[in-house]
């Protein structure tokens, strides 16, 4: 599919109108900036008959960030997040992650909701229709085999690559969701259900890689928010093939608190490696003492255990895992040493 297929665009003016439109058009997709969705439509990966453009909904366009909390509407653009003084001052990791997504034009169009709900990626999936047809497609679309792991039974390992999610995960962010059945709030971590487990049925809390978001039919994200933790220092770093405009090979968000010479709190999250963004578990055991070789070796071990990195990109999986560990270690050391 090289030309865009026909579709209708609906432009609601309020949150209630979005909910009504979602209920009325079961196969619709939400349109943020379209910087990923429209590419996938052009490639014939998805063909929604209706796009619901949420950019004209004032309730989804607000952004608040101060010393106590951050709240960003789903239709706020990445450029707006990166340039917001309150975000840069109190949630630096979020501003840095937003400011390093794709290129400037994408950031002017791309939205927070679209970034958090970004489709997962794979070298066998993000290709033209004829390329995928020549390879008999794959499990994530209409094929029967996963080309990355041919013995996988019904499981897709495509990689989540959104940069904002790890930055928000280090603050234990929550998301607000709306849909025809009402509204609810979910820990952001629970939005991502791409666990890639075999032989387990798909449920609302466990996906199979093809289903990687815990959104029920008709639901969409309205906002993301988090409380601040006093004294937390944070930053984001990523490696990409083309530095000016590219998805992360791996991206890492770190937030830590230093109390004198003691590492008092450590939070690390990754993107670009697993079928979901990963908030590293086990970092609390590394806290309580100086940032020494034991802590850095412990961090490396956690990364080795929890970063999966299958061969879904042009870079080998083991390379991505090593880069993830190196980036995390460097960022932790830099944040610990920086004068505050
Ligand atoms: C060359 C290039 C480089 C890129 N580099 C990066 C990168 O470095 N890092 C990165 O993270 N991304 C990257 N992207 C992907 C994309 O530009 C960004 O992720 C962007 O933030 C997506 O937001 P959007 O609003 O354009 O999403 P859209 O394309 O509009 O939507 C993406 C998906 O989210 C769904 N969606 C949108 N809003 C909502 C909502 N409120 N609730 C539920 N579902 C919703 C859509 O239906 C669609 O399935 C790149 C893209 C390109 C083309
Ligand atoms: S991981 Fe396997 S099933 Fe998923 S997109 Fe790649 S080839 Fe397809």
């Amino acid at each position: 599919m090289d030309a865009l297929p026909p579709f209708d665009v609906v432009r609601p003016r309020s949150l209630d109108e979005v909910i009504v439109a979602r209920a009325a058009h079961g196969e619709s997709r939400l349109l943020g900036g379209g910087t990923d969705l429209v590419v996938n439509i052009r490639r014939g990966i998805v063909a929604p008959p209706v796009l619901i453009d949420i950019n004209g909904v004032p309730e989804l366009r607000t952004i608040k960030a101060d010393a106590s909390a951050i709240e960003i509407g789903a239709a706020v653009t990445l450029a707006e997040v990166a340039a917001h003084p309150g975000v840069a001052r109190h949630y630096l990791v979020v501003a840095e992650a937003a400011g390093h997504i794709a290129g400037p034009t994408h950031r002017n169009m791309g939205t927070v909701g679209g970034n958090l709900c970004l489709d997962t990626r794979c070298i066998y999936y993000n290709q033209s229709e004829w390329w995928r047809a020549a390879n008999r497609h794959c499990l994530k679309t209409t094929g029967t085999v996963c080309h990355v792991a041919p013995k996988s039974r019904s499981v897709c390992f495509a990689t989540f690559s959104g940069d904002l999610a790890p930055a928000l995960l280090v603050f234990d962010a929550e998301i607000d969701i709306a849909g025809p059945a009402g509204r609810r709030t979910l820990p952001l971590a629970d939005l991502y259900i791409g666990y890639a487990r075999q032989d387990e049925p798909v449920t609302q809390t466990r996906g199979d890689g093809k289903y990687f978001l815990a959104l029920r039919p008709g639901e969409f994200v309205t906002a993301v928010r988090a409380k601040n933790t006093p004294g937390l220092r944070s930053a984001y770093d990523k490696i990409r093939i083309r530095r000016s405009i590219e998805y992360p090979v791996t991206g890492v968000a770190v937030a830590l608190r230093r109390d004198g010479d003691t590492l008092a709190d450590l939070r690390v999250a990754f993107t670009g490696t697993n079928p979901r963004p990963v908030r590293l578990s086990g970092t609390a055991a590394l806290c309580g003492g100086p940032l020494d070789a034991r802590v850095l070796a412990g961090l490396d071990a956690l990364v080795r255990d929890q970063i999966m990195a299958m061969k879904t990109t042009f870079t080998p999986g083991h390379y991505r895992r090593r880069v993830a560990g190196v980036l995390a270690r460097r960022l932790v050391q830099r944040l610990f040493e920086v004068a505050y």
Side-chain angles (χ1 to χ4, degrees):
M1 177 71 62
D2 289 321
L4 282 174
F7 52 77
D8 290 328
V9 180
V10 177
R11 294 201 164 86
R13 294 288 157 206
S14 71
L15 197 48
D16 288 341
E17 282 184 26
V18 181
I19 295 169
V20 169
R22 281 295 267 167
H25 305 287
E27 299 297 311
S28 64
R29 295 290 278 264
L30 247 63
L31 179 70
T35 58
D36 192 62
L37 180 60
V38 175
V39 177
N40 285 352
I41 295 175
R42 189 178 290 281
R43 286 182 161 163
I45 289 173
V46 286
V50 175
L51 301 186
I52 301 174
D53 179 351
I54 59 167
N55 292 289
V57 178
E59 297 107 298
L60 302 178
R61 296 265 316 123
T62 59
I63 176 166
K64 285 181 259 170
D66 58 27
S68 55
I70 180 170
E71 179 166 348
I72 315 176
V76 171
T77 67
L78 303 168
E80 287 167 336
V81 174
H84 192 278
V87 179
R89 174 143 185 229
H90 303 289
Y91 308 89
L92 184 60
V93 61
V94 177
E96 288 186 346
H100 285 89
I101 291 170
T105 49
H106 300 92
R107 294 196 289 274
N108 285 339
M109 294 294 292
T111 62
V112 168
N115 193 261
L116 293 177
C117 298
L118 188 66
D119 196 3
T120 51
R121 298 181 60 77
C122 174
I123 37 172
Y124 294 98
Y125 176 65
N126 299 98
Q127 300 286 354
S128 63
E129 169 76 21
W130 62 263
W131 193 101
R132 287 179 293 112
N135 286 284
R136 298 186 182 182
H137 298 275
C138 76
L139 276 180
K140 190 161 159 74
T141 54
T142 54
T144 53
V145 172
C146 167
H147 302 304
V148 167
K151 290 186 180 163
S152 108
R153 282 158 292 175
S154 306
V155 167
C156 163
F157 296 90
T159 303
F160 182 82
S161 303
D163 281 294
L164 275 185
L168 289 157
L169 283 174
V170 296
F171 291 104
D172 295 317
E174 295 180 322
I175 46 159
D176 293 333
I177 294 171
R183 299 187 188 188
R184 63 188 177 116
T185 297
L186 204 64
L188 177 62
D190 293 352
L191 175 66
Y192 301 106
I193 56 170
Y195 281 86
R197 291 284 296 264
Q198 304 204 21
D199 297 334
E200 288 189 12
V202 175
T203 66
Q204 281 179 4
T205 54
R206 188 173 288 286
D208 59 2
K210 286 175 286 183
Y211 302 99
F212 63 96
L213 294 177
L215 294 178
R216 299 173 189 149
E219 282 190 334
F220 56 95
V221 173
T222 60
V224 61
R225 56 194 156 76
K227 290 198 176 75
N228 203 355
T229 304
L232 216 53
R233 315 164 170 194
S234 69
Y236 191 74
D237 200 4
K238 73 194 257 192
I239 292 277
R240 43 185 167 175
I241 303 291
R242 296 172 295 175
R243 200 171 167 78
S244 56
I245 174 174
E246 191 66 274
Y247 292 87
V249 168
T250 180
V252 59
V254 172
L256 63 79
R257 194 162 56 81
R258 179 176 174 164
D259 190 359
D261 284 338
T262 300
L263 179 64
D265 190 355
L266 177 62
R267 309 162 184 201
V268 184
F270 294 93
T271 189
T273 55
N274 294 39
R276 64 191 170 101
V278 177
R279 166 92 183 259
L280 219 54
S281 53
T283 52
L286 305 176
C287 299
L291 181 63
D292 56 13
R294 179 196 71 89
V295 173
L296 297 176
L299 182 62
D300 265 351
L302 295 179
V303 170
R304 271 200 309 277
D305 275 1
Q306 295 170 48
I307 296 308
M308 183 178 204
M310 301 286 283
K311 180 76 182 83
T312 51
T313 69
F314 289 107
T315 46
H318 61 83
Y319 169 80
R320 272 189 292 156
R321 182 160 39 197
R322 286 196 62 179
V323 164
V326 170
L327 281 187
R329 195 181 334 129
R330 283 185 191 159
L331 211 46
V332 168
Q333 285 175 304
R334 175 158 72 78
L335 280 175
F336 192 79
E337 294 305 332
V338 75
Y340 265 73

